[in-house]
Structure formats: C-alpha cells, structure tokens
Amino acid sequence: MMNKAAKIYVAGHKGLVGSALVRALQARGYHNLILRTHKELDLTEQQAVRQFFAAEQPEYVFLAAAKVGGIEANRTQPARFIHENLAIQTNVIHESWKHNVKKLLFLGSSCIYPRDCPQPIREEYLLTGLLESTNEAYAMAKIAGIKMCEAYNRQYGTVYMSVMPTNLYGPGDNYDLQNSHVLPALIRKFHEALPDKPVTVWGSGMPRREFLHSDDMAEACVFLMEQCDEPRMVNIGTGADLTIHELACLVQSIVGHKGKIVWDHAKPDGTPQKLLDVSQLHALGWSHRISLREGIAKVYEELDKTKPF
C-alpha cells in the first residue's frame, strides 16, 4: 500500500485521464499530490523536468501526460504525436529513476496492438503484427514508453508498470470535432443537431469499440499501484464492445435527438475491432462498475447545456 502522506506526482492532471486519477486518489485519502499545469512545467523540456524532480522528490508517479487525439488529428499531425509523446515519456521515466521513485505507472493505449489482432486482445499480442496506419506514430511512441519501462525494470530493478486502457470518456473530455475521439464527438454532434436535424457520422458504422468511464480507469490504476509490487503490463477495460452504429444510436437516444443518422463512407473506419482481454485485471481482483449507458448519461447530464463545448 502507498502511504497516505506519500508524495505522488500526477503528470497531466488537467486531462481526461489525469483529472480522474486526482479524483480517485483524493477519494482514497491521498492528500500530498504534486500537480503542475503545462504552463508551469513543460514535460518535453529535459532540463525543466530534471529540476522539477530534484526539487519535489516524488515517491510515486502516474504518467498520464500525453499528446492525444482522434483519427483526423493522428492522421494530419503524426510528427507532433510521436515527438511530444517520446519527449514526455523519456524525460519523466528517466528522471523518476534518477530520483529514486518507488513506483511509476505509465498510461499507454489500446492502439499499441496490431490492427488485425486476434480478439479479445491479450497483453502478449504486442508487436505481433502491423499497426493501424491512421495512428501509427502515436502507437509507436506509446510502445516505446512500455519498452522503456521494461528496460529500466530489467536493468535497474525498478517497479514501473504499464497499463493499456481501452477507449475512455468522462468529465473533462475533448469535444473539438477536429481532434476528439468518437464518443465525445457523437455527443456534441447530436446535441447541436437537436431536436431533429440530420447528423453525419464518419465511416461505415461497422467497426467495434470498447468504452470505459475515466473514473473506472482511475480506480483500476490506483488499485494496481496499491496492490502490485512487481512490474507488469495490464489491459484496463470492460471486456465488452459494440459497433459504432450501435454507439451512435445509444448516444442519440440519451441526448434525445430524433433526426436521421447519415454515414459518411468516404471517411476512414480505423481498426476493425479493439476489444481488450481483461482477464489479468479480473484475476487481480478488479472489474469496472459503470455501465456504458449510465456513464454516457452521466457525462451528458453534467455538461453545461448553456455552453457545453
């Protein structure tokens, strides 16, 4: 168990993942959290990160800071995705080792797995096939982070874990239609089309996706940091998926939209299916609590309807 007074650094605490980690840690009684905004600390700057670790000396690190985005952002900004993520990971992981951090948890992504992976996807399927081309740069950066954690564990005896969350949604999500992921984009599109204007959705609607509320993800991460004393790579998800068509219909019903859904087949679908095998996480004693309908309804209810986006 982590000491409740331990100094815990949450990198990226303003984002969807980081803010959920802060909520989960505070709910469990951890009160000595170290938090820095991007303006206060640019994690791509090696010297700034070195000075931060030297001054703060955190005991535990949750590495949730990352450059993230949907299909269009990944397709049009591959250099930015690979450069920023490699820089952030390299700086934080290396300085964690230099300053004797007890445990580190690195947030990866389910997109690290091959495009045509057997389903459900087990952790050992990493690097067994070609990646999805639309997010290859981001995936390669995340794979490098996983392998960096493994290398430091092997050479220096550190306890650096990597977790692979499935598609996440929750409070503080990104609703920018040019850069967001599919679920927040759908929420925005259906809300802005109320009550019955047509809504255009990218692709065929046939790909299957798995979704996890960010609060569930954060609970799983804190659970692993508290319970696991050996480095490991763990999938975090629900173990269930649905088609994008089914997701669109679900979001439409929750928002209360009554219009037509138009599918833009000229837009890319991405990976056909990404369903994680979560048997390792279940065996450790953790499973998700928030159903997809409940989670989307809660997120939509919490939006400020006067200025939601």
Side-chain angles (χ1 to χ4, degrees), residues 10-13 15-25 28 62-65 105-110 163-171 211-225 234-238 276 281 286-290:
V10 181
H13 76 283
L16 172 68
V17 173
S19 60
L21 286 168
V22 170
R23 290 193 298 273
L25 287 163
R28 288 180 178 236
F62 289 85
L63 180 43
L105 187 140
F106 171 68
L107 273 294
S109 167
S110 60
V163 296
M164 304 305 118
T166 189
N167 300 285
L168 300 173
Y169 68 98
F211 296 91
L212 180 72
H213 194 284
S214 58
D215 285 341
D216 270 342
M217 175 279 311
E219 290 290 338
C221 290
V222 176
F223 169 85
L224 289 168
M225 283 285 267
V234 185
N235 287 338
I236 300 180
T238 65
L276 296 183
L281 187 59
W286 188 92
S287 58
H288 78 288
R289 298 178 298 104
I290 304 171

Side-chain angles (χ1 to χ4, degrees), residues 127-289:
L127 296 176
T128 59
L130 297 176
L131 297 168
E132 161 61 33
S133 61
T134 55
N135 58 19
E136 183 181 52
Y138 176 75
M140 287 296 291
K142 287 297 183 180
I143 292 170
I146 296 165
K147 291 301 178 182
M148 188 172 181
C149 287
E150 291 178 357
Y152 277 62
N153 291 335
R154 187 165 61 250
Q155 184 170 346
Y156 300 124
T158 51
V159 183
Y160 296 169
M161 293 178 283
S162 299
V163 296
M164 304 305 118
T166 189
N167 300 285
L168 300 173
Y169 68 98
D173 214 337
N174 174 19
Y175 292 91
D176 184 329
L177 294 179
Q178 296 302 313
N179 299 304
S180 65
H181 291 101
V182 61
L183 205 163
L186 288 173
I187 291 175
R188 177 169 183 172
K189 285 184 176 184
F190 283 116
H191 177 80
E192 293 183 340
L194 286 174
D196 57 7
K197 294 179 182 177
V199 168
T200 299
V201 182
W202 281 22
S204 66
M206 297 307 294
R208 301 187 67 87
R209 292 292 182 270
E210 176 185 14
F211 296 91
L212 180 72
H213 194 284
S214 58
D215 285 341
D216 270 342
M217 175 279 311
E219 290 290 338
C221 290
V222 176
F223 169 85
L224 289 168
M225 283 285 267
E226 289 180 336
Q227 301 297 326
C228 295
D229 289 324
E230 295 181 358
R232 61 176 69 227
M233 173 179 159
V234 185
N235 287 338
I236 300 180
T238 65
D241 64 3
L242 75 171
T243 66
I244 298 300
H245 183 277
E246 291 169 329
L247 176 68
C249 292
L250 177 60
V251 173
Q252 182 184 40
S253 69
I254 290 170
V255 172
H257 178 262
K258 304 298 182 183
K260 183 180 180 181
I261 301 176
V262 179
W263 295 94
D264 184 355
H265 294 268
K267 298 297 186 181
D269 270 339
T271 304
Q273 184 178 22
K274 285 197 301 181
L275 175 63
L276 296 183
D277 184 311
V278 291
S279 56
Q280 181 184 182
L281 187 59
H282 287 176
L284 289 168
W286 188 92
S287 58
H288 78 288
R289 298 178 298 104

Side-chain angles (χ1 to χ4, degrees), residues 43 73 193:
L43 294 175

